[in-house]
Amino acid sequence: MVMVTKAPPRSAPAAHRALRLLLASGVTAVSLVAVPGTAAAEDDKSAGNTLTVAVSQSIDSLSPFLAQKLTSTSIHRLAYEYLTNYDAKDARTIPGLATAWTPSADKLTWTYTIRENSKWSDGKPATAEDAAWTFNKMMTDPNAATANGSFTANFAQVTAPDAKTLVIRLKKPQATMTALDVPIVPKHVWEKVGDFSKFNNDQQFPIVGNGPFVITDFKVDQYIKLKPNKTFWRGAPKFDELVFKYYKDGDAAVAALQKGEVSFVPNLTPAQAAALATQKNIKVNDAPGRRFYALATNPGARSQDGKTFGNGHKALLDPEVRKALFLAVDRATLVDKVFQGHAVEGEGYIPPRFGSYFWKPDAGQKRTYDPAAAERVLDAAGYKKNAAGKRLGKDGKPLDFRILCHATDPNDKAVGKYLQEWWGKLGIGLKVECLDSVSDPWVKGDYDLAFDGWSVNPDPDYVLSIHTCGTLPETPKDSGATDNFICDQEFDGLYAQQAVEYDAAKRADLVKRMQSRLYDTGYMNVMAYPNALEAYRTDQIKSITTMPEAAGNLWGQDGYWSWWSAVPAASASGDSGSGGSSTGVIVGIGAAVVVVVGLGVLLGLRRRSTADDRE
């Protein structure tokens, strides 16, 4: 049971908006009289403008030190600043909590200038000491390094000589120093926490942060609510409230969008997108995605102390079995039939959206769809069929596998049926186990195969790090940052090289070699790069920023641009709806309108929002 301490209500009555409109239009004197029964007299009861986002993924934790799922990390992007951010236009590095950064000549010492105009939502200033404490906690407490430990593993020392200066000294050069995707937390709040492995940050609200939104309420698998941070240095968001509402069923979420009960729905099926595209007041966004969709095999769950655990099928430890399974997967058919063309056929680990890191296997390396070859591979490896046509393992028992499926993802179920058909022709059985949350059996290693998918950041370091040996759990009782228990020394060597390579071209080449090695180990089969299929109500959202601005996505961005930039449809062009001024840009899907607001305007239009990765 979640205990909730609610934040005091925020006043945003319609009369106050009218006042701001009058002031913006040049009126200099206005009398506001509160009349019983009107919005002015009952401003605490005013619902205001609420932006409701339907989500299907459970929150794994509200602690930035533990959270890895996309929904959770997206929310942390809204609640906390990182040292740097990614520009909505082209994902280049731009200031966040840090306004500037300078490396030493040997690249082993990085000095960041911390902005003076960032405050925690409880009014205290956000300083370099908060950043230093965050990183030092991750460096000294393994439980605090669960989610993002790869970023600080190479840190030798982090200090804050003064409130505006953060100094990070490295053991060796590190290529991610302008892409440290780590939420900075308030020291005065978090230093009171005891066991970081058990603290989920979900017992007391509002949660203190310094991002564009403040988390005010949360109920497991129901909703999470956020209010604008009025003191946010870029300017407060324009909606009065942001709600992420949980829907286990995608059709129910779409129905809620049609009724106007939610403002935005991500992760649409092609059929849902086609149906919504013809409806009034609904805009469908179909953009190249930043995710990959993969088939993962259990390589033998193990921990860093050398112990194995879980109940993965032993036959999948044989690379010939994995090779045969993957040769019997028709990725082109999945793109055509399951994704109905709203995806690109998968191969490498990094989606084509990230051009400099995108990799494709050469002709001799590529696993093409060839079920006859799959049959030959199994035969040659000694996996013969019995009289009933069932393929037998080395123990003489029929080969029957299980695959973990997300119950909330219709793609998993659809692909599962194809796999049952294709592998059935090989004489191999497959049980599709669809669960509301696959986390528990996955962490325990209790699976044979699983549908896997991650969102990739502009800098690919994190999504590559989750396949290194160092992310395995320390013991079978612990949980590591590993995605799939893969531990390969050649991959680790390449990862170490790219991590210290500052030359962009050379680093890109190393990242491609890493993908090639991951492909050759045969533990994962990237089947597709799905498009971002999503929809929102134009009678609730007037404009919102995609990332990248040209044909980009809204859900799961790399920052906070979408929800921060969203303008209520009822809001006039000069009305901010929630206070705070800033120079801003508003970009609607399919068109760009740039509006520069001078300092003389009472309340300005603002820029965008984005969200971070992982699932």
Side-chain angles (χ1 to χ4, degrees), residues 63-399:
S63 165
F65 299 97
L66 300 177
Q68 291 179 283
K69 289 185 176 180
L70 178 62
T71 299
S72 309
T73 56
S74 295
I75 289 166
H76 289 146
R77 277 281 188 187
L78 303 175
Y80 304 98
E81 277 273 54
Y82 298 12
L83 287 182
T84 59
N85 205 335
Y86 300 103
D87 190 274
K89 182 178 181 180
D90 54 12
R92 65 183 173 85
T93 300
I94 59 173
L97 180 60
T99 60
W101 42 90
T102 305
S104 60
D106 61 5
K107 301 288 201 313
L108 291 177
T109 301
W110 287 72
T111 303
Y112 298 82
T113 302
I114 303 301
R115 68 175 59 256
E116 298 182 52
N117 59 340
S118 179
K119 291 184 178 180
W120 298 111
S121 51
D122 62 3
K124 297 182 183 296
T127 70
E129 186 177 2
D130 295 301
W133 186 89
T134 299
F135 291 132
N136 276 302
K137 187 64 181 178
M138 294 171 64
M139 293 162 60
T140 56
D141 185 344
N143 293 321
T146 301
N148 297 302
S150 64
F151 291 112
T152 59
N154 181 45
F155 287 10
Q157 183 184 49
V158 181
T159 58
D162 57 61
K164 291 179 54 182
T165 308
L166 176 73
V167 180
I168 300 177
R169 188 166 59 82
L170 304 173
K171 301 172 186 175
K172 55 187 176 182
Q174 182 169 322
T176 60
M177 295 307 290
T178 60
L180 296 172
D181 292 325
V182 177
I184 303 302
V185 302
K187 174 186 176 183
H188 65 280
V189 174
W190 283 83
E191 65 183 353
K192 301 172 185 176
V193 175
D195 188 346
F196 272 64
S197 69
K198 298 178 180 178
F199 183 73
N200 281 314
N201 198 29
D202 58 3
Q203 299 297 304
Q204 189 170 358
F205 298 90
I207 294 174
V208 178
N210 64 337
F213 289 90
V214 177
I215 301 171
T216 59
D217 198 359
F218 170 63
K219 290 192 181 300
V220 176
D221 287 348
Q222 293 186 46
Y223 61 76
I224 183 165
K225 297 181 178 180
L226 303 93
K227 294 279 189 179
N229 179 0
K230 293 183 178 180
T231 63
F232 184 55
W233 66 273
R234 286 188 190 273
K238 297 173 76 68
F239 273 88
D240 296 329
E241 185 173 47
L242 174 62
V243 178
F244 293 90
K245 188 174 181 181
Y246 179 81
Y247 285 87
K248 179 179 177 181
D249 181 74
D251 288 333
V254 169
L257 181 74
Q258 292 170 318
K259 295 175 185 177
E261 295 172 354
V262 301
S263 316
F264 176 89
V265 176
N267 305 322
L268 298 173
T269 66
Q272 290 170 339
L276 290 172
T278 62
Q279 298 192 20
K280 184 180 179 182
N281 295 327
I282 292 180
K283 172 71 176 180
V284 173
N285 185 39
D286 184 359
R290 54 184 283 246
R291 294 183 59 78
F292 66 80
Y293 180 77
L295 181 64
T297 63
N298 186 338
R302 51 186 157 166
S303 51
Q304 293 187 42
D305 62 5
K307 295 179 180 179
T308 59
F309 55 94
N311 59 16
H313 201 297
K314 302 300 182 185
L316 290 172
L317 301 180
D318 187 340
E320 295 301 289
V321 173
R322 302 195 301 270
K323 179 180 179 181
L325 292 179
F326 293 170
L327 285 171
V329 175
D330 187 352
R331 296 188 299 274
T333 290
L334 297 181
V335 168
D336 182 42
K337 300 298 183 182
V338 176
F339 295 98
Q340 296 181 28
H342 299 278
V344 176
E345 185 176 338
E347 291 175 319
Y349 199 64
I350 308 296
R353 169 169 163 175
F354 304 100
S356 60
Y357 297 116
F358 180 59
W359 170 86
K360 294 171 66 72
D362 58 38
Q365 183 183 23
K366 184 175 180 179
R367 291 188 295 260
T368 57
Y369 175 57
D370 192 341
E375 293 269 12
R376 294 192 297 270
V377 167
L378 290 171
D379 289 339
Y383 298 91
K384 305 297 184 180
K385 288 183 178 179
N386 63 14
K390 285 288 295 183
R391 190 75 61 171
L392 301 180
K394 298 297 178 65
D395 58 2
K397 296 179 180 179
L399 287 182

Side-chain angles (χ1 to χ4, degrees), residues 36-60:
T38 66
E42 302 180 40
D43 53 4
D44 283 351
K45 299 179 182 179
S46 174
N49 290 306
T50 298
L51 195 165
T52 304
V53 177
V55 295
S56 61
Q57 187 185 63
S58 299
I59 300 292
D60 54 346

Side-chain angles (χ1 to χ4, degrees), residues 494-572:
L494 291 168
Y495 176 80
Q497 290 180 58
Q498 69 81 32
V500 301
E501 182 56 71
Y502 286 101
D503 183 281
K506 291 180 180 178
R507 185 172 182 230
D509 180 66
L510 288 166
V511 168
K512 291 175 182 178
R513 288 170 59 190
M514 291 178 70
Q515 295 177 76
S516 178
R517 178 57 186 171
L518 191 61
Y519 188 91
D520 287 344
T521 60
Y523 293 119
M524 294 184 66
N525 181 18
V526 177
M527 297 182 288
Y529 310 112
N531 284 11
L533 269 180
E534 49 199 11
Y536 67 94
R537 294 199 62 93
T538 56
D539 56 354
Q540 294 186 23
I541 302 174
K542 179 180 180 181
S543 63
I544 189 169
T545 299
T546 59
M547 183 179 186
E549 287 182 347
N553 58 290
L554 293 165
W555 171 249
Q557 295 179 354
D558 302 289
Y560 41 65
W561 308 116
S562 54
W563 314 126
W564 175 59
S565 70
V567 177
S571 176

